[in-house]
Amino acid sequence: MDWMTNEDLLIIIVNSGCITLLVVMAIVLGAATRMKSGGGFAVLIVATTVPVYIYNLSRSVEFYGVAEIAVYPACFMNALLLPVLWLFVRGQLDKTFKFTAGYWWHFIPACISLLAMLIYYLPMSREEFIEDMLEQANGVENFVALVNDFIVLFQLVFYFILIFRFLRRVKRALQDNYSDSDYLTIGWLPRTVTLFGILFVIVFVTYLISPRTDVWLIPILNVIAMSYLTYNYIVYPVAGYICRLDSSVSEVKRASKTLWQTVDLDIGQMKLNCARVIDILNSTHIYRNPDLSLDMLSRETGIGKGAISRSINGYLQKNFFELINEMRVREAKRMLLLLKSNNYTIDSIYRECGFHSRSTFFLAFKKVEGTSPARWLNEKEKY
């Protein structure tokens, strides 16, 4: 068996395995989400590369009839991945988001890619098509491949800038206006986008070095990213968390921007405001309310929420969200030390301290203390 045959065998194994895994993930996502709360976009993200791998597989096993059909959806869907990823992220973090006709322009590049393929391939005979595929197998880029590569490269820059700017604004707005510790559980979403970005860079670099890596390395990296997306989206439903907030992300962003523009406080006033806020939090234990928001604290203290947000950020050098979670963790530490004598359990502790779930309690505790509750307690018991 020569080297080319071994490579073809590798392509067949990798692509067939990846196709199977991606189809299973798409089915699981569809069943788990019922195609609601962005589930449709998640399924589409996972499914976008399936036609590409079908094309690679059919070309490798010389099923040229299948390859001749698969090449069109492969090129079209390949240019859909990043626009759909953006719409997915937007839909997860803004409960007012609805997919309307105004968003169809995101699909224009994919349509251009498909049009280029139709113009290039339709006039070809079967023999010319097979010859073209053999040239691609030897690393020769044709016209449509170059068009598709340019479109995807442009989308890579454009959409990742768009997504990360949106994530940064949303994070700032939520942390300045809400204390709900469940926010920690949506951290997987920016991590997923970062993972996609890193893998895209790896793919482009390796592709420039050796174009043939697109038929085995890319599928493997893609399955890793899609597995991470599938697992986290099912375990941590971001859209469900966002919909529990009193205001939409868009409203919060506008309010937060307005507050920072209009509230001007000197350091002395910030200090007084922070002292008032902390006194109210300690005396009323309102920080134990899992749905505590900046609006609620403003009513309790009689201080405008803009002044509270500006004071905490300016004087304490942290946001409202971080302050509340630190107080919750402090209370959890006190209760952990009484775990045995008062018959507390981990579940009763996180609920009493204001955390919505066990996982968010562990995430918040580790962020504040740098270790898990169990390890922290073990260290304390040694002394």
Side-chain angles (χ1 to χ4, degrees):
M1 183 178 290
D2 58 23
W3 180 83
M4 181 59 72
T5 303
N6 287 332
E7 186 184 38
D8 286 342
L9 181 61
L10 173 65
I11 293 170
I12 292 169
I13 293 172
V14 169
N15 283 269
S16 58
C18 290
I19 291 168
T20 303
L21 290 172
L22 290 171
V23 170
V24 170
M25 280 189 272
I27 294 172
V28 170
L29 271 173
T33 64
R34 299 179 183 178
M35 307 297 280
K36 297 178 181 179
S37 299
F41 284 131
V43 171
L44 189 55
I45 290 172
V46 172
T48 49
T49 50
V50 170
V52 178
Y53 307 147
I54 292 175
Y55 171 72
N56 290 339
L57 179 62
S58 58
R59 186 181 65 187
S60 298
V61 297
E62 299 183 359
F63 287 171
Y64 296 129
V66 177
E68 196 170 7
I69 297 172
V71 68
Y72 298 105
C75 199
F76 177 75
M77 296 289 280
N78 192 40
L80 277 185
L81 175 57
L82 288 169
V84 174
L85 181 63
W86 156 242
L87 295 173
F88 171 72
V89 172
R90 178 71 186 276
Q92 290 299 291
L93 296 177
D94 186 350
K95 70 179 182 181
T96 65
F97 172 79
K98 291 183 180 179
F99 183 77
T100 61
Y103 289 99
W104 285 106
W105 69 268
H106 290 283
F107 301 148
I108 292 177
C111 293
I112 292 174
S113 184
L114 178 60
L115 180 62
M117 297 202 70
L118 291 171
I119 294 173
Y120 184 81
Y121 281 119
L122 281 181
M124 283 188 179
S125 64
R126 170 64 64 82
E127 291 73 20
E128 290 173 329
F129 180 79
I130 294 173
E131 183 180 351
D132 185 82
M133 283 194 296
L134 293 175
E135 289 180 353
Q136 289 184 58
N138 292 321
V140 179
E141 290 275 70
N142 60 27
F143 167 72
V144 290
L146 291 173
V147 170
N148 189 256
D149 288 347
F150 174 79
I151 288 174
V152 173
L153 182 59
F154 170 80
Q155 289 178 328
L156 178 65
V157 176
F158 176 78
Y159 281 106
F160 274 106
I161 291 175
L162 196 65
I163 290 171
F164 280 116
R165 287 185 62 189
F166 176 73
L167 288 173
R168 187 175 65 253
R169 291 198 304 269
V170 169
K171 180 179 180 180
R172 174 76 174 272
L174 289 175
Q175 290 185 337
D176 281 347
N177 292 272
Y178 292 92
S179 66
D180 192 336
S181 57
D182 270 355
Y183 177 75
L184 292 175
T185 65
I186 75 172
W188 70 266
L189 191 54
R191 287 196 297 271
T192 299
V193 176
T194 302
L195 177 61
F196 271 81
I198 293 172
L199 294 184
F200 263 104
V201 172
I202 293 174
V203 164
F204 269 99
V205 171
T206 55
Y207 182 75
L208 290 174
I209 296 172
S210 176
R212 287 291 286 167
T213 58
D214 69 333
V215 292
W216 60 270
L217 178 61
I218 294 178
I220 294 174
L221 296 178
N222 181 60
V223 167
I224 293 172
M226 297 304 177
S227 299
Y228 188 79
L229 170 66
T230 301
Y231 170 78
N232 283 284
Y233 184 62
I234 293 174
V235 176
Y236 305 114
V238 178
Y241 160 73
I242 293 298
C243 287
R244 288 206 307 272
L245 301 181
D246 296 332
S247 304
S248 71
V249 171
S250 297
E251 292 167 346
V252 170
K253 284 189 294 182
R254 288 196 296 270
S256 181
K257 183 177 180 181
T258 302
L259 293 175
W260 276 82
Q261 288 177 340
T262 58
V263 178
D264 186 18
L265 303 170
D266 59 37
I267 193 68
Q269 188 60 52
M270 290 182 190
K271 182 178 179 180
L272 290 174
N273 286 341
C274 288
R276 171 67 175 164
V277 166
I278 293 173
D279 180 61
I280 290 293
L281 289 171
N282 285 325
S283 61
T284 64
H285 301 289
I286 194 175
Y287 61 85
R288 293 186 183 182
N289 183 344
D291 296 315
L292 177 64
S293 68
L294 198 58
D295 280 327
M296 294 173 61
L297 187 57
S298 177
R299 291 193 294 269
E300 288 287 333
T301 60
I303 304 172
K305 61 181 182 179
I308 294 176
S309 178
R310 183 72 180 89
S311 298
I312 294 174
N313 279 269
Y315 184 72
L316 298 179
Q317 298 297 307
K318 62 185 70 175
N319 57 53
F320 172 65
F321 176 84
E322 291 169 334
L323 172 64
I324 299 304
N325 273 343
E326 285 178 6
M327 300 187 75
R328 289 173 175 171
V329 170
R330 183 190 65 192
E331 179 65 13
K333 286 159 58 178
R334 185 189 69 80
M335 297 177 71
L336 282 169
L337 294 174
L338 303 174
L339 193 65
K340 296 178 180 178
S341 60
N342 287 18
N343 294 320
Y344 285 131
T345 64
I346 293 294
D347 288 342
S348 65
I349 288 176
Y350 81 69
R351 291 193 186 98
E352 288 191 39
C353 292
F355 294 99
H356 272 293
S357 67
R358 186 187 182 98
S359 61
T360 55
F361 166 56
F362 274 71
L363 286 169
F365 195 99
K366 188 170 185 180
K367 183 176 181 180
V368 174
E369 293 296 324
T371 187
S372 67
R375 288 184 179 178
W376 179 87
L377 184 58
N378 287 335
E379 288 297 319
K380 290 297 179 181
E381 288 178 343
K382 289 180 181 178
Y383 302 98

